[in-house]
Amino acid sequence: MNNKFIPIISVFMTISLVVFTALQFYWLKGYYGALEQDFSNKVYSALESSTTKINALEVNKYMNVDFKNFANTIEAGKNQPSLTTISQVEDSASRRSITYSRNILEKKDFPISKNGDSLKIATVYSDKNLIRIKKDPNKQEPLTSDLSHSLENGDYTIRDFVRVAATNLPLNKRVTSKVLDSVVTKELKLRGINTPLGFAIYDKNDKCTNIVNALFKKDDKDIYKYPLFLDADYKTLYTLDVMFPRKDYSLARNNLPMLLGTFMSLLTILGIYIISINYMMRQKKIAEVKTDFINNMSHEFKTPLATISVATDSLANDKIAFNPDKVKYYSALIKQENLRMKKQVENVLNMSKLERNEMQLFLKETNVRELIQKMADSFKLIVDKRGGEITLDLSAPKHQFKIDEFHISNALVNLLDNANKYSPKPPEINIKTKNEGNWYVIEIKDHGMGMETHNKLKIFEKFFREETGNIHNVKGQGLGLSYVKKIIELHKGQVLVESAKDKGSTFTIKLPMA
């Protein structure tokens, strides 16, 4: 992919993701609003049914518990409701309004002594109502006995008298918290609402009564109100207020599959977006790193090829061809440069094998102290040419264990080579060994240019190099530290680094001895 298209594709992907996410949240908001509306409809339906049942329970209690003889008195025919027409008004050309009242007289004997004396008590229950009768303009029809009888028997019942009588009763005589909670909870469950509820009864002055449960919060934003008891004129005496402390949780729980599916799809798309952007950025970075690697490899091969070319041309010269010393010198030079190129190729091939997990270690019992001493002695010649020095502190008492001598040697050479290359001044390299439990610890410290803190973890990545402004200021392919890390990890060990800019670096290798 052309690198210039990556930012453009990233912008369009970001815009698409933002639009999609916004639409998803808009849909969720609308869906949640529909759920709330459905919840409210179910609540009001439950409250309507609950108030009807509570009123019916009150009537049954009034007629069968509080005043057991009330219904019997009425049904016996002794005190039937009486109808009194108060007024008749011709309110229009086609209608006639009749105002009427009904009364029930209930008589009781109230005992006042043990001698059988009693006091006659009469209770009058009354109510008035209004009826409008449509007239036939072509026929003047008076209020007949049939119409009067219909009014008397069809519009008013004993239960209406109970409602009128109960209007003046205290609230705790009409309903209790236990009954209210039981009825409302049952009606809500019938409609699929199983969440805890708080309730309270308010009077006509909007003051809370003593019927309220512990879950009710009067400042809650979602309180459902419904008339509970009406007076004789059908005006609200008490209002039932209901709220649900865990309403949002209940809505989410009842619609969990839908909401979970939506969120999972959104998270999946977001994850794909992040992975895609990260993958493109990594591909761009890898492309740049590979370009740097090719440039470095070209630079590394250019010098030995040029040297070999010059040596070959020299050998073709007749004066040199008959000079055994010159021939020997140029032959050795060609061989040296050829080995140098071979080593570069082997580094790349070894890294390729490590990436494919094809590298096999050949472990054998080794005196690691002697191995480090040998590597330091061979590298000392390179350091001496720059006027530097290598100091050794190989004080670890346990130094005999199994390693792959060839690869550990290469790893140590890579670290020593970096310590030398990244020291602008004459290099000062310190090698120290010690035992930490079952670990054999090797520390290689230099006093070179060091590195930035954010690069400490990146240096073990393949092809990464600290200096990116001029890739030829320090020679190499960026494979050395990656190779070191892979080899140490194959030995089940660890490699750590501590570094500060312009203060040098310390690489610590930990190898298990068992």
Side-chain angles (χ1 to χ4, degrees):
M1 181 183 293
N2 196 327
N3 286 343
K4 68 181 180 181
F5 289 114
I6 291 179
I8 298 174
I9 294 175
S10 300
V11 169
F12 279 108
M13 288 180 63
T14 303
I15 293 174
S16 300
L17 180 67
V18 170
V19 172
F20 175 78
T21 304
L23 289 175
Q24 283 291 311
F25 278 107
Y26 178 79
W27 180 86
L28 282 175
K29 182 180 179 182
Y31 180 68
Y32 187 78
L35 291 179
E36 281 194 316
Q37 184 61 48
D38 181 64
F39 185 86
S40 298
N41 292 339
K42 290 180 179 179
V43 170
Y44 281 119
S45 174
L47 291 179
E48 179 182 11
S49 179
S50 297
T51 54
T52 300
K53 289 187 176 182
I54 289 171
N55 277 274
L57 289 173
E58 179 193 22
V59 170
N60 290 333
K61 177 175 178 292
Y62 192 92
M63 295 174 60
N64 299 313
V65 179
D66 297 338
F67 299 94
K68 293 182 179 179
N69 296 323
F70 179 77
N72 296 330
T73 302
I74 301 302
E75 291 170 359
K78 298 178 180 179
N79 296 290
Q80 290 293 335
S82 61
L83 173 65
T84 303
T85 301
I86 299 175
S87 64
Q88 298 187 45
V89 180
E90 303 284 341
D91 58 354
S92 68
S94 61
R95 290 185 181 279
R96 176 165 33 148
S97 298
I98 302 174
T99 304
Y100 64 92
S101 66
R102 283 191 172 84
N103 303 281
I104 290 181
L105 181 64
E106 182 186 16
K107 298 179 180 180
K108 295 182 180 178
D109 291 334
F110 184 75
I112 57 175
S113 69
K114 295 181 179 180
N115 297 328
D117 298 327
S118 63
L119 180 65
K120 299 289 185 179
I121 299 177
T123 304
V124 179
Y125 302 93
S126 65
D127 190 30
K128 61 182 179 179
N129 209 338
L130 176 68
I131 187 170
R132 288 185 173 88
I133 303 172
K134 186 177 180 180
K135 297 191 304 179
D136 185 352
N138 299 320
K139 181 180 179 182
Q140 297 295 329
E141 181 181 359
L143 182 62
T144 63
S145 60
D146 292 336
L147 180 59
S148 176
H149 182 73
S150 176
L151 291 174
E152 183 174 357
N153 294 328
D155 290 333
Y156 216 83
T157 65
I158 297 173
R159 293 180 181 274
D160 293 310
F161 281 108
V162 174
R163 175 180 57 78
V164 174
T167 298
N168 297 320
L169 291 177
L171 181 62
N172 57 2
K173 294 290 186 180
R174 307 187 69 177
V175 68
T176 64
S177 293
K178 184 177 180 180
V179 171
L180 184 62
D181 184 37
S182 175
V183 172
V184 176
T185 300
K186 182 179 179 181
E187 291 299 318
L188 289 171
K189 285 184 177 180
L190 289 175
R191 291 159 178 81
I193 300 176
N194 297 308
T195 185
L197 77 151
F199 62 83
I201 296 179
Y202 281 76
D203 61 18
K204 60 183 178 181
N205 297 318
D206 201 29
K207 292 182 179 180
C208 187
T209 64
N210 59 352
I211 297 182
V212 57
N213 72 346
L215 294 178
F216 184 80
K217 298 177 181 178
K218 63 179 182 180
D219 56 348
D220 190 84
K221 62 178 182 180
D222 293 323
I223 293 181
Y224 302 89
K225 299 176 178 288
Y226 201 86
L228 179 60
F229 294 122
L230 306 177
D231 62 10
D233 296 323
Y234 292 94
K235 294 180 180 180
T236 303
L237 275 179
Y238 296 98
T239 303
L240 174 60
D241 288 18
V242 176
M243 51 80 61
F244 302 89
R246 303 179 68 185
K247 173 184 172 183
D248 293 334
Y249 171 77
S250 176
L251 289 176
R253 182 188 62 187
N254 293 338
N255 298 273
L256 187 60
M258 176 69 73
L259 296 176
L260 188 60
T262 302
F263 278 114
M264 287 300 295
S265 64
L266 186 61
L267 289 176
T268 300
I269 293 174
L270 183 61
I272 293 173
Y273 166 79
I274 293 173
I275 292 172
S276 300
I277 293 296
N278 184 58
Y279 178 77
M280 287 192 293
M281 293 298 105
R282 285 177 61 86
Q283 289 299 312
K284 181 181 178 183
K285 180 181 177 182
I286 290 172
E288 293 172 351
V289 167
K290 284 184 177 180
T291 301
D292 290 347
F293 171 72
I294 292 171
N295 291 336
N296 278 310
M297 286 297 294
S298 299
H299 180 77
E300 292 291 330
F301 285 137
K302 185 177 181 180
T303 301
L305 285 172
T307 303
I308 291 172
S309 178
V310 171
T312 304
D313 292 341
S314 298
L315 289 174
N317 192 313
D318 293 337
K319 293 181 179 181
I320 296 176
F322 294 101
N323 187 334
D325 292 333
K326 291 291 184 179
V327 171
K328 186 176 181 180
Y329 169 75
Y330 284 113
S331 297
L333 187 61
I334 291 172
K335 183 177 181 180
Q336 177 184 329
E337 293 303 317
N338 183 60
L339 290 173
R340 180 179 172 186
M341 292 177 61
K342 183 180 178 182
K343 182 180 178 182
Q344 300 291 348
V345 174
E346 285 180 349
N347 283 340
V348 177
L349 292 176
N350 283 335
M351 280 306 302
S352 179
K353 288 182 178 180
L354 284 172
E355 291 294 325
R356 297 195 302 266
N357 295 321
E358 294 178 358
M359 183 72 73
Q360 292 184 355
L361 298 181
F362 297 95
L363 303 177
K364 68 175 183 177
E365 198 77 19
T366 305
N367 188 325
V368 182
R369 176 186 291 177
E370 291 182 359
L371 177 66
I372 297 173
Q373 183 72 57
K374 180 180 176 182
M375 301 306 302
D377 290 341
S378 63
F379 204 81
K380 189 175 185 298
L381 298 175
I382 300 174
V383 175
D384 288 343
K385 287 181 180 180
R386 297 188 58 198
E389 66 172 333
I390 296 180
T391 59
L392 299 174
D393 180 12
L394 309 180
S395 57
K398 299 178 182 179
H399 48 77
Q400 190 87 14
F401 55 96
K402 289 184 178 182
I403 60 170
D404 186 308
E405 186 175 340
F406 173 76
H407 287 297
I408 290 296
S409 297
N410 286 343
L412 293 175
V413 168
N414 272 305
L415 292 177
L416 292 173
D417 188 47
N418 280 347
N420 177 54
K421 288 192 300 185
Y422 289 97
S423 295
K425 298 178 181 180
E428 296 179 15
I429 303 174
N430 308 110
I431 303 176
K432 181 180 179 180
T433 64
K434 59 182 177 179
N435 294 127
E436 289 183 359
N438 202 35
W439 295 97
Y440 187 82
V441 181
I442 306 171
E443 292 181 359
I444 299 177
K445 183 177 182 182
D446 65 67
H447 300 275
M449 64 176 64
M451 68 187 78
E452 299 288 351
T453 303
H454 63 274
N455 285 331
K456 286 168 58 177
L457 295 178
K458 295 181 181 179
I459 59 174
F460 295 107
E461 296 177 4
K462 191 167 61 172
F463 303 124
F464 179 82
R465 300 182 68 203
E466 170 71 11
E467 292 292 331
T468 56
N470 178 4
I471 62 174
H472 298 310
N473 59 348
V474 178
K475 294 182 180 181
Q477 304 104 349
L479 296 174
L481 291 177
S482 178
Y483 171 79
V484 170
K485 187 172 187 294
K486 291 285 186 180
I487 291 300
I488 299 304
E489 287 179 348
L490 283 176
H491 281 79
K492 310 298 182 184
Q494 303 173 10
V495 57
L496 310 171
V497 61
E498 290 295 331
S499 184
K501 194 66 175 176
D502 300 323
K503 294 184 179 180
S505 304
T506 301
F507 285 86
T508 303
I509 293 176
K510 293 185 175 183
L511 295 171
M513 291 185 291

